[in-house]
Amino acid sequence: MKNFTISLSKNPTIVMNVIPGHFTTSHFHLTHYLDLDNLKTNSSIARDVAAELALPYLSTTPIDTIVCMEGTEVIGAYMAEELLLEGTSAINSGGEIHVVTPMNNVNRQLTFQSNIQKLIDGKNIVVLVSSVSSGKTVESALECLSYYNGKVVGISALFNAFPDESEQEIHSLFTSEDIPEYKMLSPDECDMCKSGRKLDAIVMHGGYTRI
Ligand SMILES: [Zn+2]
């Protein structure tokens, strides 16, 4: 099975690299690894990605703060720039948008330091994540933001594995429907394990390690 790419029909410069294989996260086995690094780190591509992700909010949603998870800070900064552009229907133009990232404390909970909390407390917040699979990243972000009294007005992602099952609406560029035969299963239900296929790699912290 060879690697392949999927481009966004609206803007074909936005390309997701897909690596088929037998991957494991801490909870699930996956049939494909999605390489989203170029979307997050290539500044001109990240700018295009940000323009797409800003669209659902542009004319409707006042935003004070973008909270970036999983290495999405470059996209977050361009997204803020896009939302602040002058335009007759641009609701945030002329305003201020802050772009922040939570920290992990020793108990692996997400926290904001005291000096950053004022950018969360009572503010309209968009949560930006790289990929939504088990939903744990989004869940922990929402928990953290609720603790600091942030008002979440939107969630955006590069990839959403379960577009139909997400509890909250998630604005994503790509979904599992774009990848033929994409599967995410618990290890005891995994067809590849049943057929005796060894794991190729462990997926964690936004990357993978071959084993
Ligand atoms: Zn498996």
Side-chain angles (χ1 to χ4, degrees), residues 53 127-132 138 155-160 170-174:
L53 291 177
V127 178
L128 180 57
V129 300
S130 179
S131 77
V132 179
V138 169
I155 303 169
S156 292
L158 302 181
F159 177 78
N160 184 2
I170 294 172
H171 302 285
S172 66
L173 287 186
F174 298 101

Side-chain angles (χ1 to χ4, degrees), residues 45-118:
I45 305 283
R47 179 173 238 152
D48 280 9
V49 168
E52 293 298 330
L53 291 177
L55 278 178
Y57 309 108
L58 211 52
S59 61
T60 54
T61 313
I63 295 168
D64 301 306
T65 304
I66 299 174
V67 171
C68 297
M69 314 276 295
E70 304 176 323
T72 55
E73 290 84 353
V74 179
I75 296 172
Y78 282 130
M79 198 172 155
E81 187 182 73
E82 193 71 24
L83 290 162
L84 294 169
L85 285 179
E86 278 181 35
T88 44
S89 63
I91 199 165
N92 290 289
S93 73
E96 263 182 25
I97 296 178
H98 294 267
V99 180
V100 300
T101 302
M103 303 194 318
N104 275 299
N105 72 9
V106 286
N107 301 317
R108 302 178 75 191
Q109 288 163 319
L110 296 173
T111 60
F112 289 99
Q113 286 183 291
S114 308
N115 51 310
I116 299 295
Q117 288 170 15
K118 61 180 181 294

Side-chain angles (χ1 to χ4, degrees), residues 22-24 28-30 185-194 197-199:
H22 187 191
F23 297 94
T24 182
F28 295 99
H29 285 191
L30 301 160
L185 295 160
S186 66
D188 53 328
E189 290 172 348
C190 176
D191 301 330
M192 291 180 285
C193 284
K194 282 179 190 160
R197 183 172 167 181
K198 290 205 162 60
L199 285 164

Side-chain angles (χ1 to χ4, degrees), residues 11-33:
N11 181 347
T13 59
I14 298 175
V15 174
M16 168 169 71
N17 296 312
V18 183
I19 305 171
H22 187 191
F23 297 94
T24 182
T25 69
S26 51
H27 298 89
F28 295 99
H29 285 191
L30 301 160
T31 53
H32 298 79
Y33 173 77

